[in-house]
Amino acid sequence: MKVEFAPLSVPRQRRLQTASVVQWIFSFLCLAQCCTVAFIALFFTRFWLVSALYAAWWLIDRETPSKGGRRIHILRNCVVWRYMRDYFPITLVKTAELDPRQNYLVGFHPHGVLAAGAFLNFCTEASGFSTLFPGITPHLMMLSLWFRIPFFRDYVMSGGLVPSDKESASYVLQKPEGGNLLAIIVGGAQEALDARPGSYTLLLKNRKGFVRLAIQNGTPLVPAFSFGENDVFDQVRNPKGSWLRWIQHRLQHIMGISLPLFHARGIFQYSFGLIPYRRPICTVVGKPIPVQKKHKPSEEEVDQVHQKYLNELSQLFEKHKAKYNVPEDSHLEFI
């Protein structure tokens, strides 16, 4: 006998979607600090053995993040990510086939405030990555410092996140049988300081390390633009040369992460809060750019491939911008 369940009411769906987004924001803004506090605090309780055993495990397992991580498919397929997808909503669009016999390096743009599109599309199955790109295993690079936090490191690895260093990137891209995809948010933390609605400025003009990495590994480059990524949060005005921007840059140099002062809506009201606006995010993945492998590419060779990448990214943006309500007179600006 087939049992049918009544669909959730719209208000209940909305509450679950909002709760999933709150959980996601909490996990990246507060969970790391909570994990650190819990790890230290347990040493001063009768449960000290938990932290002691974890410390031993941490020592044994210290190389795992740089060796492709340890993804947990149950967590990648968790229903909470589907609610998060529907909150905005977030979609993933394929414009070209990716051969699973090759590895790929995807440049993701823009960073946005919290990189919601990058996380959900590459670290979960909510947008159907494995269905769109069968045989491809996605990895997303994240600041290395997050992998030094006890317990939290295991959480981020479960989705396919790897540290943003050359060793971790090379391990993913050198898989002999292919089938790996490494996504890099090229603009990084610094680009987040310019993330605001209607902004199409990318910190990319002098970012060439990912191009050099692709050439050294003979890995095709794939541009990806996430329409709406900058629209889900407002940010306190921080023009270059302002005292706020100076403080943010100083903190970034010291801590390694940027601290954009963002705001949007609240949980129970829509005037102010840290919950993102319900605005669609659509990540469009472009076609691969073939790269000739060379162990020590010259500056001219890197510049040539870099310029080709900029051209392909611009074409991808121009081709699809009308579908996502981007004004006709808006174009990508590289700084």
Side-chain angles (χ1 to χ4, degrees):
M1 181 178 66
K2 183 178 180 180
V3 179
E4 295 186 356
F5 296 92
L8 295 175
S9 64
V10 173
R12 178 166 171 76
Q13 287 180 342
R14 287 293 181 100
R15 288 196 296 270
L16 288 170
Q17 291 166 6
T18 303
S20 69
V21 173
V22 172
Q23 179 268 335
W24 166 66
I25 293 175
F26 171 80
S27 68
F28 282 97
L29 296 183
C30 304
L31 186 57
Q33 293 89 332
C34 293
C35 287
T36 303
V37 171
F39 177 74
I40 297 173
L42 284 173
F43 277 112
F44 300 94
T45 70
R46 59 179 178 175
F47 301 107
W48 62 269
L49 188 59
V50 173
S51 288
L53 290 174
Y54 184 85
W57 160 251
W58 191 1
L59 182 64
I60 297 171
D61 195 55
R62 63 186 182 279
E63 299 295 333
T64 299
S66 61
K67 302 298 183 184
R70 182 174 50 249
R71 65 185 58 230
I72 300 176
H73 293 288
I74 292 177
L75 293 181
R76 281 181 58 88
N77 286 281
C78 184
V79 67
V80 70
W81 306 129
R82 294 197 290 275
Y83 284 123
M84 177 181 166
R85 173 200 64 196
D86 295 337
Y87 173 89
F88 293 96
I90 294 177
T91 54
L92 181 64
V93 175
K94 179 179 71 172
T95 62
E97 295 292 337
L98 298 185
D99 186 349
R101 294 170 297 181
Q102 281 191 302
N103 298 313
Y104 296 92
L105 195 159
V106 172
F108 182 93
H109 316 273
H111 184 287
V113 171
L114 293 178
F119 173 78
L120 192 129
N121 286 317
F122 298 115
C123 298
T124 81
E125 287 297 331
S127 57
F129 182 92
S130 295
T131 302
L132 286 173
F133 302 103
I136 304 291
T137 301
H139 301 265
L140 178 65
M141 299 199 85
M142 186 182 192
L143 284 175
S144 300
L145 69 89
W146 298 113
F147 295 88
R148 303 187 189 115
I149 300 174
F151 304 121
F152 187 76
R153 67 189 288 274
D154 300 280
Y155 168 70
V156 295
M157 279 196 295
S158 69
L161 286 154
V162 295
S164 55
D165 55 56
K166 187 175 180 180
E167 179 186 0
S168 302
S170 296
Y171 183 89
V172 172
L173 297 177
Q174 290 174 1
K175 184 180 179 182
E177 62 270 28
N180 273 350
L181 179 149
L182 179 66
I184 300 178
I185 307 177
V186 182
Q190 189 175 342
E191 190 177 78
L193 299 178
D194 289 313
R196 49 180 47 84
S199 173
Y200 302 104
T201 301
L202 302 181
L203 187 61
L204 186 57
K205 190 174 183 180
N206 296 312
R207 294 284 175 109
K208 302 176 183 179
F210 74 105
V211 174
R212 186 180 299 277
L213 183 66
I215 296 174
Q216 290 173 340
N217 290 279
T219 307
L221 281 165
V222 182
F225 192 87
S226 197
F227 292 91
E229 193 73 49
N230 283 341
D231 297 338
V232 296
F233 288 105
D234 290 317
Q235 189 171 167
V236 174
R237 191 170 180 272
N238 60 341
K240 293 181 180 179
S242 65
W243 64 270
L244 176 57
R245 191 61 166 250
W246 182 85
I247 291 175
Q248 288 173 323
H249 275 305
R250 291 298 299 170
L251 290 174
Q252 182 185 340
H253 286 304
I254 295 171
M255 303 170 59
I257 58 175
S258 64
L259 296 172
L261 296 180
F262 62 91
H263 59 90
R265 50 158 287 194
I267 299 177
F268 304 109
Q269 43 76 32
Y270 297 89
S271 57
F272 188 82
L274 297 180
I275 308 302
Y277 296 118
R278 284 180 178 268
R279 294 172 180 170
I281 297 174
C282 184
T283 302
V284 181
V285 181
K287 63 181 180 180
I289 303 170
V291 173
Q292 186 69 35
K293 184 175 182 179
K294 191 170 185 179
H295 182 61
K296 292 184 178 180
S298 65
E299 290 298 326
E300 291 76 17
E301 290 170 324
V302 172
D303 290 343
Q304 184 179 7
V305 176
H306 184 259
Q307 187 58 53
K308 187 173 183 180
Y309 180 87
L310 296 183
N311 295 339
E312 289 289 341
L313 179 61
S314 295
Q315 290 177 19
L316 182 71
F317 177 82
E318 295 295 333
K319 182 178 180 180
H320 294 274
K321 68 180 184 180
K323 303 175 187 176
Y324 306 108
N325 300 316
V326 177
E328 182 64 30
D329 59 351
S330 294
H331 309 284
L332 291 183
E333 179 186 358
F334 303 123
I335 60 172

